[in-house]
Amino acid sequence: KVPRLSGLGVKRKSDRFSLFGNYDWDNGYSVRATYGKNTQRANIVRDTDNSDRISVFSRDPQDMEDESYEIRFSSPMDQRLRWVVGYNRYEQEFTGSGGTGDYSFSCYATLQSPPSNNYPADCVGGAPGVLNLYFPNALVNSDQADVRGVFGSIDFDITDKWTAIVEGRWQEDKLVKGAGLNNPGAPVLSESFDAFLPRVIVRWMPVDTTTLWVSYSEGQIAGDFNSEFINADARERAQYVALDPNLTESLDAESLDAWEIGWKQSFMDRRAQIN
């Protein structure tokens, strides 16, 4: 499905679509829904051997499609106690190559130009002629992601000047990755990363032009798989591990604990503001 490309370079086609709707009741309650869909198809052709000989060309296709949905319900925003609850989902399918896609390897040898040491036996043992080899794309970096989350927040005005905000999100992040998504029998791995992510904020507004706050939150980036390591044979794995004994097939999720202290101040009749 990717664009055709007959020379070196990049050719990309992207389509983006989004839809948003909301409904507000007379009593202040509201519901909002969003939908988005994106597709991106690209083709990359490059000289990939990094040598002074023009002989190896790689073509790296990329085909990505994702969809997202979200719905949220809100209470009236002019009340002392306010809340929002919602659900969202994100689905992605990515088909693409890694370091090299499918590639052609052309070897030239003439009597006037002896074989180079860059390539053993120069493909044809130094005899005059041309040999073209073609290798298909393993698509080892292809993946599928499915992320679902339920979230909510509560704002409560303790006084006219103090507000407490408590938020939370539970999410399930499922990742499937490997050449087996496109080539039956090839490796494929899957794993889910679940997490509950809270945030707490305390805000103080001593006057209308001043806002001070402190917050604490937790975040997570889902883990990943080492595609090149997964698809390597025993000999290649031994070479990788010799360079880095810590290499594994998968990477754990990354977590974040964050504190923030903030101050917003406006002055000169709100013509100027500092954050």
Side-chain angles (χ1 to χ4, degrees), residues 196-268:
F196 175 73
L197 307 174
R199 180 165 68 168
V200 179
I201 306 171
V202 177
R203 185 178 65 211
W204 179 42
M205 298 181 63
V207 293
D208 291 342
T209 56
T210 303
T211 302
L212 300 162
W213 75 91
V214 60
S215 73
Y216 169 77
S217 62
E218 296 180 6
Q220 175 177 282
I221 297 178
D224 202 348
F225 297 114
N226 190 338
S227 299
E228 298 294 339
F229 189 78
I230 294 170
N231 288 273
D233 58 31
R235 179 186 61 83
E236 292 169 330
R237 285 198 178 200
Q239 292 177 327
Y240 296 154
V241 172
L243 293 173
D244 186 352
N246 297 318
L247 278 177
T248 61
E249 291 186 342
S250 61
L251 307 174
D252 293 334
E254 300 178 35
S255 61
L256 173 71
D257 296 336
W259 287 91
E260 179 178 276
I261 298 175
W263 171 31
K264 290 185 178 182
Q265 180 69 53
S266 61
F267 46 93
M268 298 174 61

Side-chain angles (χ1 to χ4, degrees), residues 156-164 202-206 212 214:
F156 180 67
D157 295 330
I158 304 171
T159 69
D160 291 342
K161 301 181 183 298
W162 288 90
T163 300
V202 177
R203 185 178 65 211
W204 179 42
M205 298 181 63
L212 300 162
V214 60

